[in-house]
Structure formats: structure tokens, C-alpha cells
Amino acid sequence: MHLWSRKAAGAGTSSVASRSHGVVSHSAAGHHPQSRVSSTTGDSCGRRQNSQGAAIMGVFSGLKKNKGDAEPSTSSVAARATTKEPMTQEEVEELCLELNKIGAVKFGEFKLKSGLMSPVYVDLRVIVSYPLVLEQVSRMMYSQVKDLQFDIMCGVPYTALPIATCMSLGFGLPMVMRRKEVKDYGTKRAIEGAYSAGQSCLIVEDLVTSGASVLETLDPLQKEQLKVTDVVVLIDREQGGAAHLEKNGLRLHAAFKLSAMLDVLQKHSLVDDTVASNVRAFIAENQTQLPAAAAAALGEVARDPARRAPSCCCCASSSSLSCKTTSSFMPSSCCCCCCSLLAAGVASCFCSAASAIC
């Protein structure tokens, strides 16, 4: 086993991570590049790192299984979490089955935010209660981007935050955090963490349908002069999100496509042919719409009070695009709320047709 060591020189406060062939190295003003140190090295730095590594291994190996978690393999959780090897097909199928088992993917009749009735519902918030599943998720998502070049990661709030954190801990990847609601006191920052203008940032997301949530995170990152070209997601619902992100200069890297998950579940007789057929038909018939111009207008209207209608009910926060009122109370002149709904892939909104364009 090899451990990473960092020798600090000076008072530098940030590091830039660059990766090639799955190996992580850090360099910046005030820091020497990281070097790999063998666990058998006799120098003091190696011994110190071994001690730290043992402590970390102890924390990971001390994780308790949740009821329903699969039995861990003979290798430790920490070792599996930090392996740079791609997941085998068997491990991919195992993760798919576990997500179904813990209720992260459900089949039936579910009312979506848009009002549509869907035969499938994906709720990945539950994975935080299953450490071994979370570890597998982070490993599979890392395998999709291990050959990319990026300096930092940013998880889309809120469900993707623990995934990004697990990837950061498991693979030594620096991360920043986007505030969904920017405070009007303190630093008033939309992006928290250590970063520098010009660094490249990978966006981490749990689920992509239209891609609207990713674009909401993209905007404050770009305002900090961070470069964003890639997005990694656990599940792509295949409802137009990848195409929408591509129009905005983003490449989507999906660990799972919903149709591929259906194939695995059908193979193991957990979903019958009728349900699978209904889900595939729903996906094909309910493609989302998110023109690039609408996404840009959405951000500008939300940030600029002068461009909002007098009775607009959107949040004043520069990073929040959610509506403050209910649909029955929404004024017809509330164009920014209408754009928010359109950006989320909803075919209709509560605004008048004349005010549907920001």
C-alpha cells in the first residue's frame, strides 16, 4: 500500500490537484508537489504518514453495517474506496441491486414535482444512511472521471454533497461547496472553500433529468472565474439532460443510465417486462425542454431585481431560484418564476403566455 505525503513550504493556503492516469498530485505556490511514499519507508515523514494512514484505516474499518447492507469483502472498506481500478461488471450490478434494495429506485405510480405521474421514482437521499452503498457510489462515479483533468470538485446541493465528500475523502480530491442560500452577513460567499480563479472544477450531481440544477450550480462557479467543462452524475434519467448540458458547454459522465439499471433489474427478475416497458415509454414520451437562452435568462432575471416584474415572488438571493409562494398565489406577471418552471422541464406554468419570456 502506498500513502500520499505533502511537504509544506511557506504559507501557501491552496493547492491545485492535477491528475494523470488516475494518480493525484498537488502543487501550487507555497507547496511542493506531492510524492508517493512507500509504507515501508524509514524516514520520519513516512512513519508519520503511516501513523496517519493507520488512523484513517481504523476509522473506515470501524464503520458499522446498516441493516440490509451487503457483507463487505475481505478487503477493507477503505481499500475498496480508494482503489483506482474500474469497477467490475459484477460490482456494477451489485450496486444497482443495492440501490433498488434500499429504496433509492422505486417502481409504481409517483407524482412528480411537475405534476406528471411517473412509473419510476429515484430518491438518492437515502444513501447517506448506508455507508457501504455510499462508498460504492463514490467509487463508481470516480471511475467515470478518473482520467479527466480537474483541480477541485463541487457537489450540487443537497443530495450530491455527501457523494462529493466521500469522493474527496476516498481519493484525495479537494472540493468546494456551493451555498444554495447566500447569507446577507459574514463573507456573503456563494462558493465556500479554498480555490483560485482559473482552476478547473468538476460538478458532482446525484441525478440528472433536465440539467437545471447543474446549471444553477454552474453560474456561481463561473462568477468566481472557475472553469467548468464536466459533470459526473450517478443516474441519468435520459430525459434530455445530457443534451441540455452539452448546449451549455458541459459534458455529462453518467455512472448509470436509467435504462441500463432497468436491464439489470429485469435480469434479476426484480422488475417485470410490463413495468420496464412502461418506464421506457415514459422516458421517451417525457423529454424535458431547456433551451440555452432560457437558462441564461433565468439566471439574469433572478440576479437583477430591476428585471423582475414588480410582483415577482422569486427569492432575492443570487443563488436561489426557488419560488417563495404557492402556485395559487403566483401573480401572472411573475416572469422569473415562469422561467424557473420552464428551466425545470415543466411544459406549462402558472404565468400568462405573454409573460412566459423573461
Side-chain angles (χ1 to χ4, degrees):
M1 177 179 177
H2 288 84
L3 300 172
W4 301 105
S5 70
R6 175 182 300 170
K7 295 182 180 179
T13 57
S14 64
S15 63
V16 179
S18 64
R19 295 177 298 118
S20 174
H21 306 295
V23 176
V24 183
S25 65
H26 292 251
S27 64
H31 289 84
H32 289 301
Q34 276 190 334
S35 59
R36 301 185 71 173
V37 179
S38 170
S39 60
T40 58
T41 296
D43 63 20
S44 59
C45 180
R47 289 193 296 272
R48 183 163 57 253
Q49 285 295 100
N50 286 337
S51 176
Q52 293 171 348
I56 294 173
M57 291 287 283
V59 171
F60 274 95
S61 62
L63 289 173
K64 294 182 178 180
K65 288 201 308 110
N66 286 69
K67 185 177 181 181
D69 268 349
E71 289 293 333
S73 64
T74 53
S75 60
S76 69
V77 173
R80 288 194 296 129
T82 57
T83 180
K84 302 299 186 293
E85 295 300 318
M87 292 181 72
T88 65
Q89 183 59 34
E90 182 181 358
E91 289 174 318
V92 170
E93 290 195 11
E94 176 190 334
L95 176 56
C96 183
L97 297 175
E98 281 298 314
L99 290 171
N100 179 71
K101 182 177 180 179
I102 66 176
V105 181
K106 301 181 176 72
F107 299 92
E109 289 294 324
F110 304 94
K111 186 175 182 178
L112 302 180
K113 184 179 180 179
S114 63
L116 293 174
M117 296 302 295
S118 171
V120 61
Y121 186 68
V122 181
D123 181 8
L124 295 170
R125 287 165 292 202
V126 70
I127 65 176
V128 297
S129 299
Y130 298 87
L132 297 186
V133 174
L134 182 57
E135 173 267 313
Q136 284 183 301
V137 165
S138 70
R139 182 181 166 203
M140 183 159 185
M141 291 178 67
Y142 172 78
S143 70
Q144 307 304 310
V145 296
K146 64 184 179 65
D147 294 323
L148 298 181
Q149 298 293 325
F150 58 87
D151 301 313
I152 55 177
M153 301 183 301
C154 181
V156 176
Y158 289 106
T159 307
L161 291 179
I163 298 175
T165 302
C166 195
M167 290 175 66
S168 176
L169 290 171
F171 303 102
L173 306 173
M175 66 175 283
V176 295
M177 184 177 68
R178 172 202 156 207
R179 281 189 177 273
K180 202 167 186 177
E181 301 86 15
V182 177
K183 305 298 183 182
D184 59 0
Y185 54 85
T187 62
K188 303 180 182 179
R189 296 173 65 178
I191 304 298
E192 300 286 2
Y195 58 89
S196 301
Q199 285 186 307
S200 57
C201 181
L202 171 73
I203 292 181
V204 180
E205 177 65 300
D206 63 309
L207 176 72
V208 163
T209 303
S210 71
S213 295
V214 171
L215 294 179
E216 290 177 14
T217 297
L218 172 67
D219 182 68
L221 290 172
Q222 290 181 331
K223 282 189 170 300
E224 297 297 321
Q225 300 181 53
L226 293 170
K227 300 175 182 178
V228 185
T229 57
D230 296 276
V231 180
V232 63
V233 66
L234 179 61
I235 300 177
D236 176 10
R237 283 188 61 120
E238 301 177 276
Q239 290 182 257
H244 300 152
L245 295 178
E246 185 178 5
K247 290 178 182 178
N248 286 271
L250 301 175
R251 294 184 295 264
L252 183 64
H253 308 269
F256 284 117
K257 291 184 181 295
L258 191 53
S259 58
M261 296 188 72
L262 278 174
D263 292 339
V264 172
L265 296 176
Q266 275 187 283
K267 173 184 174 181
H268 291 269
S269 302
L270 294 172
V271 173
D272 61 39
D273 293 343
T274 300
V275 171
S277 178
N278 290 340
V279 171
R280 291 190 174 93
F282 177 84
I283 292 173
E285 295 167 5
N286 291 276
Q287 292 295 298
T288 60
Q289 301 297 321
L290 182 59
L298 170 64
E300 290 301 318
V301 171
R303 289 189 296 273
D304 187 359
R307 293 185 59 189
R308 300 188 198 129
S311 54
C312 186
C313 56
C314 283
C315 299
S317 169
S318 62
S319 65
S320 178
L321 303 177
S322 58
C323 203
K324 282 290 191 181
T325 186
T326 61
S327 58
S328 61
F329 186 69
M330 191 183 297
S332 61
S333 59
C334 187
C335 66
C336 53
C337 285
C338 185
C339 280
S340 182
L341 288 168
L342 292 175
V346 181
S348 60
C349 67
F350 302 99
C351 307
S352 64
S355 64
I357 301 176
C358 290

